[in-house]
Amino acid sequence: MRLLPRNEEFFDLFVEVANRNKEAAHHLRQLFEAPPDRRTPHVEAIKRLEHEADQVTHEVVNRLDRTFITPLDREDIYKLASDLDDVMDAIDGTARRTQIFRLGPAPQGARQLVEVIERMVGVLVEAVGRLKKGDEVFAFCVQAKQLEEEGDAIYHEVLGQLFEKEKDAIEIIKWKEIYDNLERTLDQAEDVANVVESITIKHD
């Protein structure tokens, strides 16, 4: 029995952000599958989720300031909250660029990358959700890393196709930035998996 209680609510807050990331990734996939004139509801839904995730992340930081004994190292709590928030920001950034750039229908490669992101974020929900008890966390971290590698291979393939087949320089600039952002989203999602893995090793 502990003499001083540890605040366990951090785990629930992490799950709240991870779930919003998952919902945002689902909207991102729908956005890229939709005709250009039907994308706005998905962009707005992602913006709302980004705002909600920000509020939860601020709550984590506020609790960190008020909590005497934390269930994890303070720097790990801050890093995990920050990395989860970065994933959401990257998804939101891509969604907004589809509007700013007035993008036409998404190429198959973009839809493939977004589908990998959706699976990746789903895996992170499982990993973060198991962090409190430490059950099977590593298996989901391994899956996340495999998905990052899968996404990386698609990214290099579609980038090559873009420069080979697209003749319009403006379209190349637009889609290259979209692909770069999607690849960055996968990298940031892998950062979350790395932090979760590191936390689990420390507390095993």
Side-chain angles (χ1 to χ4, degrees):
M1 186 176 145
R2 299 190 193 106
L3 290 173
L4 292 166
R6 293 191 312 187
N7 191 323
E8 303 282 346
E9 287 175 14
F10 289 107
F11 295 107
D12 300 329
L13 295 172
F14 293 144
V15 171
E16 278 192 47
V17 178
N19 277 323
R20 282 174 174 82
N21 285 355
K22 183 180 178 181
E23 197 179 334
H26 181 63
H27 276 290
L28 192 67
R29 182 170 64 79
Q30 290 181 310
L31 186 160
F32 275 92
E33 288 173 355
D37 61 345
R38 301 263 180 93
R39 287 174 175 161
T40 302
H42 299 298
V43 176
E44 289 173 350
I46 290 168
K47 185 75 229 163
R48 172 182 54 80
L49 289 160
E50 190 271 336
H51 180 65
E52 290 174 7
D54 266 351
Q55 289 179 316
V56 179
T57 303
H58 288 147
E59 178 61 19
V60 170
V61 175
N62 289 338
R63 280 178 189 267
L64 208 47
D65 289 340
R66 299 196 309 262
T67 305
F68 184 60
I69 297 180
T70 56
L72 306 169
D73 292 349
R74 287 175 183 275
E75 59 269 26
D76 288 337
I77 291 173
Y78 184 81
K79 181 87 173 86
L80 182 52
S82 175
D83 285 356
L84 282 166
D85 194 51
D86 286 345
V87 173
M88 178 62 89
D89 287 344
I91 291 171
D92 180 51
T94 301
R96 285 202 276 176
R97 278 170 176 78
T98 64
Q99 283 192 319
I100 294 165
F101 295 167
R102 311 259 194 289
L103 290 179
Q108 176 65 21
R111 296 200 297 272
Q112 282 180 298
L113 271 174
V114 171
E115 190 265 335
V116 175
I117 288 170
E118 187 179 24
R119 282 190 284 144
M120 174 83 139
V121 176
V123 165
L124 293 183
V125 169
E126 297 296 334
V128 171
R130 285 168 167 74
L131 197 52
K132 192 171 184 176
K133 292 184 178 175
D135 298 339
E136 297 176 40
V137 176
F138 289 123
F140 289 102
C141 292
V142 168
Q143 275 186 49
K145 288 171 188 184
Q146 288 168 342
L147 284 166
E148 194 278 333
E149 287 172 12
E150 183 183 332
D152 220 30
I154 294 168
Y155 167 73
H156 288 113
E157 176 67 24
V158 297
L159 214 53
Q161 288 177 4
L162 178 68
F163 285 104
E164 183 186 342
K165 295 177 181 175
E166 181 58 65
K167 304 304 177 205
D168 186 326
I170 300 295
E171 286 300 304
I172 289 174
I173 291 166
K174 287 178 180 179
W175 282 106
K176 182 182 183 301
E177 181 155 350
I178 293 295
Y179 290 144
D180 287 349
N181 256 47
L182 293 174
E183 199 263 343
R184 195 175 304 120
T185 306
L186 285 166
D187 286 345
Q188 287 169 332
E190 188 186 22
D191 288 345
V192 173
N194 289 337
V195 176
V196 168
E197 187 176 58
S198 167
I199 289 169
T200 307
I201 289 167
K202 279 187 194 177
H203 295 267
D204 210 7

